[in-house]
Amino acid sequence: MEKVTTVGLDLAKSVFQVHGVNAAGGVVVRRKLRRSA
């Protein structure tokens, strides 16, 4: 598994979106989570 160097978090009314990238700028993780979960 690659190392995440930067994490972005989008807080909306009903959905959280998490975005993590490595040192080279490549996407490592991208998740969409509902608040109810």
Side-chain angles (χ1 to χ4, degrees):
M1 184 172 206
E2 291 187 62
K3 185 175 181 180
V4 175
T5 58
T6 305
V7 174
L9 183 61
D10 180 13
L11 304 175
K13 288 187 177 183
S14 60
V15 176
F16 292 115
Q17 291 190 23
V18 179
H19 183 86
V21 296
N22 61 14
V27 176
V28 176
V29 64
R30 185 180 293 157
R31 299 280 166 98
K32 185 184 289 188
L33 304 169
R34 296 210 168 274
R35 286 188 182 262
S36 61

